[in-house]
């Protein structure tokens, strides 16, 4: 995309905590994020970086009608699930941040992408700050890459590394990771790699370099335990695209989500499976996630959830067992503990036949996935009831619906998309909130079992 008139931007001043990156509008003596004292520093939020071709100088207002935009081709990375999340590939000169927990597979994914596009005519440069070039080579071998056209640079002083990179005339530059590189210019490189100031300066330098050279740059960033890209959210403001690779380390599945994209939608989700030779795209996630489910699974329910705009069937499991402690335990893996507490409390109060006050309840989402949406409440409730009653629901049943505090069921969005996915995978009926059908009339071959409330839904599911 090239925009041919010049547009102006303003810089905004904000304060951020040196320790955790928590942002505030004013200077504060104690950080509300991590309680650190005197950690607040001022910094200027950079102008929203202009897309390639757009130089941000003139302050004169511009009529949108006068702007002329040409489509420049994106650089597809040859990995379907990654390109899907990027919106078709990398925009020239864009800066993309890939975040995720250490060990989740970021370097693997990026190296695969690098290997898939690199050729002697189209070189890719990999700044390896975390590993030695020979370690990168070992990984590349494991991934079955020849390494032709793939240049590894071990230099972590960014100015010099970028000079070396530019000499190769690369089609793509990868920085693994932003926490290990530093700008020499900043205090002569004295504030070490990984410090807040270095993270910011390095990212800004990469941003300028990417825009000037029109070479896309992929940045890898580790995530702190709170889920922020180490520490500072400010990196997210600077870069054009933010992707997160997530999943349970002990499970093979990985989800790649877009959380920001200046050039496309953030609704797409990529699904991968970690294998011995790298990450493989999972084209049929629903099939994969429910593949191992036995037909008469007790304590299990299938929920058609939405990952971005993509419907994915997910199995929710629950196990109830008499508690040996005075305060029964509630454990949630892959879903919000507060949703579990809410659903167990509502079940105990509204359904006489499900008394959970003396029961430990463990809830689990299969495949190391995480469900973020309340539409999975009803599935969770059914899984708990099934375990408590020691009775399986019909194997061809799915459930959708948010549970309210008085036991009512609340409607969910994009019903038809969810039902289509369930139908595609052979499910025949769906328990869902009655209220949903007043607004949406889904075209579906699935038998709909509308329920007025949670009690009604449990009755319908048990009697079918
Ligand atoms: P890595 O890409 O190094 O993670 P990150 O860069 O996010 O820290 O991935 C590391 C894990 O992936 C490691 O535990 C080994 C595993 N792995 C595989 O299972 N298969 C493979 O082909 C590769 C390269 C790694
Ligand atoms: Mg790595």
């Amino acid at each position: 995309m090239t925009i041919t008139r010049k547009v102006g931007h303003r810089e905004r001043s904000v304060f951020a905590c040196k320790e955790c990156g928590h942002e505030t509008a004013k200077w504060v003596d104690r950080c509300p994020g991590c309680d650190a004292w005197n950690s607040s520093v001022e910094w200027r939020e950079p102008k929203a970086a202009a897309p390639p071709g757009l130089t941000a100088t003139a302050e004169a207002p511009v009529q949108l009608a006068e702007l002329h935009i040409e489509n420049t081709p994106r650089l597809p990375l040859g990995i379907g699930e990654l390109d899907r999340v990027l919106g078709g590939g990398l925009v020239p000169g864009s800066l993309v941040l890939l975040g995720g927990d250490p060990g989740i597979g970021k370097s693997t994914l990026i190296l695969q992408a690098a290997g898939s596009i690199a050729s002697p005519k189209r070189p890719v440069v990999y700044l390896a700050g975390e590993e030695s070039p020979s370690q990168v080579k070992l990984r590349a071998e494991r991934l079955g890459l020849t390494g032709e056209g793939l240049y590894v640079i071990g230099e972590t002083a960014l100015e010099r590394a970028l000079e070396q990179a530019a000499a190769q005339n690369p089609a793509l530059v990868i920085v693994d990771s932003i926490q290990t590189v530093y700008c020499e210019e900043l205090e002569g490189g004295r504030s070490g790699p990984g410090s807040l100031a270095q993270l910011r300066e390095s990212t800004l330098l990469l941003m300028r370099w990417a825009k000037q050279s029109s070479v896309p740059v992929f940045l890898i960033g580790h995530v702190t335990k709170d889920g922020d890209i180490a520490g500072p959210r400010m990196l997210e403001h600077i870069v054009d695209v933010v992707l997160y690779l997530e999943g349970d380390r002990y499970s093979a599945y990985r989800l790649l989500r877009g959380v920001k994209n200046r050039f496309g939608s953030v609704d797409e989700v990529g699904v991968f499976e970690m294998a011995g030779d790298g990450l493989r795209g999972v084209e049929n996630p629903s099939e994969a996630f429910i593949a191992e489910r036995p037909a008469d699974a007790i304590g299990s329910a299938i929920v058609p959830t939405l990952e971005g705009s993509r419907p994915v069937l997910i199995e929710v499991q629950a196990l109830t067992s008499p508690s040996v402690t005075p305060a029964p335990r509630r454990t949630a893996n892959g879903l919000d503990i507060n949703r579990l507490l809410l659903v167990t409390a509502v079940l105990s109060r509204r359904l006489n036949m499900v008394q959970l006050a003396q029961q430990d309840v463990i809830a689990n989402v299969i495949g190391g996935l995480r469900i973020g949406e309340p539409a999975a409440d009803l599935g969770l409730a059914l899984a708990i009831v099934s375990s408590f009653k020691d009775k399986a629901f019909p194997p061809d049943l799915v459930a959708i619906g948010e549970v309210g505090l008085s036991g009512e069921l609340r409607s969910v969005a994009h019903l038809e998309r969810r039902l289509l996915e369930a139908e595609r995978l052979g499910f025949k009926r769906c328990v869902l909130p009655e209220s949903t059908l007043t607004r949406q009339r889904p075209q579906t071959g699935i038998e709909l079992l509308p329920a007025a409330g949670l009690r009604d839904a449990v009755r319908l599911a048990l009697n079918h």
Side-chain angles (χ1 to χ4, degrees), residues 106-107 130-131 139 176 220 222:
K106 301 179 295 297
S107 304
E130 305 239 317
E131 290 157 318
R139 189 197 300 263
D176 187 3
I220 289 181
H222 293 299

Side-chain angles (χ1 to χ4, degrees), residues 98-112 126 130-131 138-140 142-143 176 220-222 245 249 254 274-279:
L98 172 64
D101 288 326
I104 204 73
K106 301 179 295 297
S107 304
T108 304
L109 179 63
I110 291 305
L111 194 59
Q112 277 178 273
Y126 193 106
E130 305 239 317
E131 290 157 318
L138 279 177
R139 189 197 300 263
R142 183 170 177 187
L143 300 172
D176 187 3
I220 289 181
H222 293 299
L245 188 62
R249 266 182 97 157
R254 302 284 181 271
M274 182 63 97
D277 56 354
L279 286 159

